[in-house]
mmCIF file of all heavy atoms in Angstrom:
data_model
loop_
_atom_site.group_PDB
_atom_site.id
_atom_site.type_symbol
_atom_site.label_atom_id
_atom_site.label_comp_id
_atom_site.label_asym_id
_atom_site.label_seq_id
_atom_site.Cartn_x
_atom_site.Cartn_y
_atom_site.Cartn_z
ATOM 1 N N LEU A 1248 41.404 51.126 108.670
ATOM 2 C CA LEU A 1248 42.200 52.222 108.108
ATOM 3 C C LEU A 1248 42.145 53.493 108.943
ATOM 4 O O LEU A 1248 42.984 54.385 108.763
ATOM 5 C CB LEU A 1248 41.733 52.521 106.673
ATOM 6 C CG LEU A 1248 42.028 51.438 105.633
ATOM 7 C CD1 LEU A 1248 41.378 51.798 104.288
ATOM 8 C CD2 LEU A 1248 43.530 51.215 105.447
ATOM 9 N N LEU A 1251 45.327 54.763 110.692
ATOM 10 C CA LEU A 1251 46.476 55.282 109.942
ATOM 11 C C LEU A 1251 47.032 56.607 110.475
ATOM 12 O O LEU A 1251 48.258 56.748 110.605
ATOM 13 C CB LEU A 1251 46.110 55.403 108.471
ATOM 14 C CG LEU A 1251 47.189 55.983 107.535
ATOM 15 C CD1 LEU A 1251 48.455 55.135 107.606
ATOM 16 C CD2 LEU A 1251 46.681 56.051 106.103
ATOM 17 N N VAL A 1254 49.283 55.945 113.420
ATOM 18 C CA VAL A 1254 50.517 55.243 113.035
ATOM 19 C C VAL A 1254 51.504 56.218 112.387
ATOM 20 O O VAL A 1254 52.699 56.222 112.704
ATOM 21 C CB VAL A 1254 50.187 54.070 112.093
ATOM 22 C CG1 VAL A 1254 51.475 53.444 111.547
ATOM 23 C CG2 VAL A 1254 49.341 53.034 112.814
ATOM 24 N N LEU A 1255 51.024 57.061 111.478
ATOM 25 C CA LEU A 1255 51.886 58.039 110.812
ATOM 26 C C LEU A 1255 52.469 59.014 111.808
ATOM 27 O O LEU A 1255 53.673 59.327 111.777
ATOM 28 C CB LEU A 1255 51.097 58.792 109.746
ATOM 29 C CG LEU A 1255 50.796 58.060 108.441
ATOM 30 C CD1 LEU A 1255 49.877 58.908 107.560
ATOM 31 C CD2 LEU A 1255 52.066 57.737 107.695
ATOM 32 N N ARG A 1275 59.624 60.617 102.535
ATOM 33 C CA ARG A 1275 59.798 59.169 102.434
ATOM 34 C C ARG A 1275 59.319 58.460 103.704
ATOM 35 O O ARG A 1275 58.782 57.346 103.634
ATOM 36 C CB ARG A 1275 61.272 58.819 102.159
ATOM 37 C CG ARG A 1275 61.666 58.786 100.696
ATOM 38 C CD ARG A 1275 60.920 57.697 99.907
ATOM 39 N NE ARG A 1275 61.193 56.353 100.404
ATOM 40 C CZ ARG A 1275 62.121 55.531 99.906
ATOM 41 N NH1 ARG A 1275 62.861 55.922 98.885
ATOM 42 N NH2 ARG A 1275 62.271 54.337 100.399
ATOM 43 N N VAL A 1276 59.540 59.059 104.844
ATOM 44 C CA VAL A 1276 59.042 58.462 106.090
ATOM 45 C C VAL A 1276 57.539 58.270 106.017
ATOM 46 O O VAL A 1276 56.995 57.215 106.358
ATOM 47 C CB VAL A 1276 59.427 59.323 107.315
ATOM 48 C CG1 VAL A 1276 58.731 58.818 108.571
ATOM 49 C CG2 VAL A 1276 60.939 59.311 107.528
ATOM 50 N N ILE A 1277 56.848 59.295 105.551
ATOM 51 C CA ILE A 1277 55.384 59.221 105.448
ATOM 52 C C ILE A 1277 54.978 58.154 104.420
ATOM 53 O O ILE A 1277 54.123 57.293 104.690
ATOM 54 C CB ILE A 1277 54.798 60.576 105.047
ATOM 55 C CG1 ILE A 1277 54.998 61.597 106.189
ATOM 56 C CG2 ILE A 1277 53.321 60.469 104.690
ATOM 57 C CD1 ILE A 1277 54.557 62.995 105.842
ATOM 58 N N GLY A 1278 55.570 58.193 103.226
ATOM 59 C CA GLY A 1278 55.196 57.252 102.173
ATOM 60 C C GLY A 1278 55.501 55.813 102.544
ATOM 61 O O GLY A 1278 54.652 54.919 102.344
ATOM 62 N N ASP A 1279 56.681 55.566 103.103
ATOM 63 C CA ASP A 1279 57.062 54.202 103.466
ATOM 64 C C ASP A 1279 56.152 53.652 104.564
ATOM 65 O O ASP A 1279 55.754 52.483 104.547
ATOM 66 C CB ASP A 1279 58.519 54.149 103.908
ATOM 67 C CG ASP A 1279 59.495 54.354 102.759
ATOM 68 O OD1 ASP A 1279 59.060 54.748 101.676
ATOM 69 O OD2 ASP A 1279 60.692 54.143 102.974
ATOM 70 N N THR A 1280 55.832 54.507 105.555
ATOM 71 C CA THR A 1280 54.974 54.073 106.657
ATOM 72 C C THR A 1280 53.569 53.771 106.149
ATOM 73 O O THR A 1280 52.939 52.779 106.573
ATOM 74 C CB THR A 1280 54.919 55.155 107.739
ATOM 75 O OG1 THR A 1280 56.246 55.472 108.192
ATOM 76 C CG2 THR A 1280 54.078 54.700 108.920
ATOM 77 N N LEU A 1281 53.064 54.619 105.257
ATOM 78 C CA LEU A 1281 51.733 54.385 104.683
ATOM 79 C C LEU A 1281 51.675 53.054 103.960
ATOM 80 O O LEU A 1281 50.722 52.265 104.148
ATOM 81 C CB LEU A 1281 51.386 55.540 103.737
ATOM 82 C CG LEU A 1281 50.124 55.389 102.897
ATOM 83 C CD1 LEU A 1281 48.891 55.244 103.786
ATOM 84 C CD2 LEU A 1281 49.967 56.562 101.949
ATOM 85 N N PHE A 1282 52.672 52.773 103.140
ATOM 86 C CA PHE A 1282 52.675 51.525 102.355
ATOM 87 C C PHE A 1282 52.722 50.328 103.281
ATOM 88 O O PHE A 1282 51.965 49.360 103.105
ATOM 89 C CB PHE A 1282 53.857 51.522 101.404
ATOM 90 C CG PHE A 1282 53.863 50.349 100.462
ATOM 91 C CD1 PHE A 1282 53.142 50.400 99.263
ATOM 92 C CD2 PHE A 1282 54.558 49.195 100.751
ATOM 93 C CE1 PHE A 1282 53.125 49.319 98.393
ATOM 94 C CE2 PHE A 1282 54.561 48.109 99.899
ATOM 95 C CZ PHE A 1282 53.838 48.161 98.716
ATOM 96 N N ARG A 1283 53.595 50.362 104.282
ATOM 97 C CA ARG A 1283 53.712 49.211 105.189
ATOM 98 C C ARG A 1283 52.418 49.014 105.965
ATOM 99 O O ARG A 1283 51.945 47.886 106.152
ATOM 100 C CB ARG A 1283 54.875 49.420 106.143
ATOM 101 C CG ARG A 1283 54.871 48.432 107.302
ATOM 102 C CD ARG A 1283 56.149 47.760 107.518
ATOM 103 N NE ARG A 1283 56.053 46.818 108.630
ATOM 104 C CZ ARG A 1283 57.047 46.043 109.045
ATOM 105 N NH1 ARG A 1283 58.211 46.113 108.455
ATOM 106 N NH2 ARG A 1283 56.874 45.224 110.030
ATOM 107 N N PHE A 1284 51.821 50.102 106.432
ATOM 108 C CA PHE A 1284 50.580 49.978 107.182
ATOM 109 C C PHE A 1284 49.490 49.327 106.338
ATOM 110 O O PHE A 1284 48.796 48.399 106.804
ATOM 111 C CB PHE A 1284 50.115 51.366 107.647
ATOM 112 C CG PHE A 1284 48.759 51.360 108.298
ATOM 113 C CD1 PHE A 1284 48.611 50.957 109.612
ATOM 114 C CD2 PHE A 1284 47.620 51.713 107.577
ATOM 115 C CE1 PHE A 1284 47.343 50.918 110.218
ATOM 116 C CE2 PHE A 1284 46.370 51.678 108.169
ATOM 117 C CZ PHE A 1284 46.231 51.276 109.494
ATOM 118 N N VAL A 1285 49.336 49.762 105.106
ATOM 119 C CA VAL A 1285 48.277 49.215 104.264
ATOM 120 C C VAL A 1285 48.511 47.755 103.950
ATOM 121 O O VAL A 1285 47.594 46.921 104.044
ATOM 122 C CB VAL A 1285 48.155 50.041 102.961
ATOM 123 C CG1 VAL A 1285 47.250 49.344 101.950
ATOM 124 C CG2 VAL A 1285 47.637 51.449 103.259
ATOM 125 N N THR A 1286 49.756 47.373 103.609
ATOM 126 C CA THR A 1286 50.031 45.972 103.256
ATOM 127 C C THR A 1286 49.969 45.067 104.477
ATOM 128 O O THR A 1286 49.628 43.876 104.361
ATOM 129 C CB THR A 1286 51.374 45.815 102.558
ATOM 130 O OG1 THR A 1286 52.407 46.386 103.365
ATOM 131 C CG2 THR A 1286 51.359 46.516 101.208
ATOM 132 N N ASP A 1287 50.310 45.578 105.664
ATOM 133 C CA ASP A 1287 50.198 44.792 106.886
ATOM 134 C C ASP A 1287 48.763 44.645 107.365
ATOM 135 O O ASP A 1287 48.410 43.669 108.000
ATOM 136 C CB ASP A 1287 51.027 45.415 108.002
ATOM 137 C CG ASP A 1287 52.454 44.917 108.026
ATOM 138 O OD1 ASP A 1287 52.794 44.020 107.226
ATOM 139 O OD2 ASP A 1287 53.253 45.428 108.840
ATOM 140 N N PHE A 1297 41.008 48.239 97.707
ATOM 141 C CA PHE A 1297 41.583 49.528 98.077
ATOM 142 C C PHE A 1297 42.414 50.124 96.929
ATOM 143 O O PHE A 1297 42.360 51.327 96.660
ATOM 144 C CB PHE A 1297 42.448 49.351 99.319
ATOM 145 C CG PHE A 1297 43.122 50.614 99.813
ATOM 146 C CD1 PHE A 1297 42.406 51.554 100.549
ATOM 147 C CD2 PHE A 1297 44.458 50.852 99.551
ATOM 148 C CE1 PHE A 1297 43.016 52.705 101.015
ATOM 149 C CE2 PHE A 1297 45.077 52.006 100.007
ATOM 150 C CZ PHE A 1297 44.363 52.943 100.736
ATOM 151 N N VAL A 1483 59.758 48.126 104.146
ATOM 152 C CA VAL A 1483 58.388 48.607 103.850
ATOM 153 C C VAL A 1483 57.392 47.468 103.714
ATOM 154 O O VAL A 1483 56.200 47.699 103.642
ATOM 155 C CB VAL A 1483 58.373 49.479 102.569
ATOM 156 C CG1 VAL A 1483 59.157 50.752 102.759
ATOM 157 C CG2 VAL A 1483 58.900 48.684 101.372
ATOM 158 N N TYR A 1577 56.525 57.697 95.087
ATOM 159 C CA TYR A 1577 55.281 57.636 95.866
ATOM 160 C C TYR A 1577 54.963 59.014 96.439
ATOM 161 O O TYR A 1577 53.795 59.389 96.603
ATOM 162 C CB TYR A 1577 55.465 56.624 96.999
ATOM 163 C CG TYR A 1577 54.205 56.106 97.634
ATOM 164 C CD1 TYR A 1577 52.958 56.300 97.084
ATOM 165 C CD2 TYR A 1577 54.307 55.368 98.818
ATOM 166 C CE1 TYR A 1577 51.812 55.791 97.687
ATOM 167 C CE2 TYR A 1577 53.166 54.859 99.438
ATOM 168 C CZ TYR A 1577 51.932 55.057 98.862
ATOM 169 O OH TYR A 1577 50.806 54.555 99.464
ATOM 170 N N VAL A 1578 56.044 59.799 96.713
ATOM 171 C CA VAL A 1578 55.856 61.080 97.397
ATOM 172 C C VAL A 1578 56.471 62.247 96.633
ATOM 173 O O VAL A 1578 56.409 63.393 97.085
ATOM 174 C CB VAL A 1578 56.461 61.015 98.823
ATOM 175 C CG1 VAL A 1578 55.697 60.062 99.698
ATOM 176 C CG2 VAL A 1578 57.942 60.618 98.794
#
Side-chain angles (χ1 to χ4, degrees):
L1248 292 174
L1251 178 58
V1254 173
L1255 284 174
R1275 273 297 299 264
V1276 171
I1277 293 175
D1279 289 12
T1280 304
L1281 172 60
F1282 186 86
R1283 167 130 182 179
F1284 173 79
V1285 169
T1286 55
D1287 270 356
F1297 180 79
V1483 293
Y1577 198 13
V1578 293

